[in-house]
Amino acid sequence: MTQSNHFDSIADVFNRIWYFSDAYKEFVTTHILEDLSLGSEDILADIGGGTGSFTSRLGYEASLLKAYCIEPSSAMCEEASKLENITPVCSDAHTFVTSNTPFTKMLFKEVIHHLPERGAFWKLLHPILPQGGKMLIITRPKNIAFPFFASAKEVFARHQPSQELIETELKEGGFEIITHLRSHTFTLAKEDWYTMLRHRFMSDLGVFSDEEIEAGIEEIESIYTEETIDIIDNLIFITATKK
Ligand SMILES: C[S@@+](CC[C@H](N)C(=O)[O-])C[C@H]1O[C@@H](n2cnc3c(N)ncnc32)[C@H](O)[C@@H]1O
């Protein structure tokens, strides 16, 4: 079962408007491979895998037995189905977990804030994961460092669960957790950053009208006077293991 969401409207441009430099992809992929101890025996379930670009890269780099890209937006899932080494599953996290599909590792990259009733979800998942199975949650702090306009920062903070809350829910679900805070900075021409904002590259930007986005860009323009802008991406990596 697929659902329509914000990502249907940006699926065709998603890989282009999210600035994934080679250095960024390398940074994220290296940590995912290490944190999940991914290897050729593993079946990976990439929850909210989007267009599948990271699922596919992980599939190749770890020679995974199988890599599922679980994605409820039909337009995003269609993009993922163009990649040869992954299996797209056009459903939400809950439907996948209750489908009796075996897997050993699970990835939630920039998706945790979309999951409803997380506490119940972890409790459902714990008996299904094999002993030693791992999940990795990659998310951002409530106070995002991105050069957003003030109201975008507020909307982001409102929708984003705190690190402490996610950790507590996972522990209550029976998992042992390890958290790493990691940061990656990249520099963009300001026009490229504004293009990302105009495309509402993050779902939290979807609530703003064209006029509000343009006013927000003017606000950023008044603060950042150089031609380029530093994008500081502070990321939280939480590994949860079933002992
Ligand atoms: C910001 S994108 C991240 C895509 C990908 N993980 C990446 O990092 O490139 C978030 C994705 O989560 C998906 N999503 C939203 N609700 C979901 C749910 N309940 N279960 C699984 N995925 C969901 C969205 O459709 C979207 O593609």
Side-chain angles (χ1 to χ4, degrees), residues 154-165:
E154 278 163 29
V155 171
F156 181 87
R158 214 178 301 144
H159 294 158
Q160 189 66 7
S162 71
Q163 175 188 335
E164 295 71 25
L165 179 61

Side-chain angles (χ1 to χ4, degrees), residues 3 5 7 14 18 20 46-51 53-54 70-73 76 91-94 109-111 114-116:
Q3 298 162 6
N5 67 28
F7 293 93
F14 185 80
W18 261 100
F20 289 137
D46 184 5
I47 300 290
T51 54
S53 52
F54 281 95
I70 295 101
E71 176 48 55
S73 153
M76 296 287 266
S91 79
D92 61 75
H94 189 273
K109 181 176 171 296
E110 301 177 48
V111 64
H114 293 298
L115 288 197

Side-chain angles (χ1 to χ4, degrees), residues 1-174:
M1 185 189 66
T2 58
Q3 298 162 6
S4 78
N5 67 28
H6 172 76
F7 293 93
D8 283 326
S9 62
I10 57 168
D12 55 339
V13 290
F14 185 80
N15 290 344
R16 194 157 43 80
I17 60 169
W18 261 100
Y19 183 75
F20 289 137
S21 69
D22 286 344
Y24 175 82
K25 285 186 214 159
E26 180 75 23
F27 157 76
V28 179
T29 309
T30 304
H31 288 303
I32 297 172
L33 290 168
E34 276 173 16
D35 289 354
L36 279 178
S37 311
L38 283 177
S40 57
E41 308 280 287
D42 278 319
I43 301 173
L44 175 69
D46 184 5
I47 300 290
T51 54
S53 52
F54 281 95
T55 329
S56 174
R57 193 177 165 123
L58 292 164
Y60 284 124
E61 292 205 14
S63 306
L64 293 171
L65 197 56
K66 201 164 181 82
Y68 292 105
C69 174
I70 295 101
E71 176 48 55
S73 153
S74 45
M76 296 287 266
C77 200
E78 202 177 311
E79 288 296 316
S81 68
K82 295 175 187 166
L83 300 172
E84 281 180 2
N85 69 326
I86 65 171
T87 305
V89 179
C90 302
S91 79
D92 61 75
H94 189 273
T95 308
F96 176 77
V97 163
T98 49
S99 69
N100 293 324
T101 309
F103 58 91
T104 59
K105 306 280 168 69
M106 206 168 225
L107 174 65
F108 300 81
K109 181 176 171 296
E110 301 177 48
V111 64
I112 200 70
H113 53 288
H114 293 298
L115 288 197
E117 299 171 29
R118 285 183 309 272
F121 183 75
W122 303 137
K123 286 181 184 147
L124 177 71
L125 199 54
H126 192 269
I128 296 171
L129 249 193
Q131 210 75 30
K134 286 179 188 291
M135 305 191 299
L136 175 64
I137 289 131
I138 305 178
T139 189
R140 297 190 171 85
K142 282 172 94 68
N143 60 336
I144 192 163
F146 281 174
F148 277 168
F149 43 97
S151 49
K153 287 194 176 198
E154 278 163 29
V155 171
F156 181 87
R158 214 178 301 144
H159 294 158
Q160 189 66 7
S162 71
Q163 175 188 335
E164 295 71 25
L165 179 61
I166 300 169
E167 289 173 341
T168 302
E169 289 169 348
L170 285 165
K171 284 184 205 158
E172 285 174 0

Side-chain angles (χ1 to χ4, degrees), residues 188-190 194 221 223-229:
L188 286 184
K190 267 198 300 192
Y194 297 159
E221 192 63 20
I223 301 168
Y224 298 88
T225 50
E226 305 289 318
E227 282 304 301
T228 58
I229 196 160

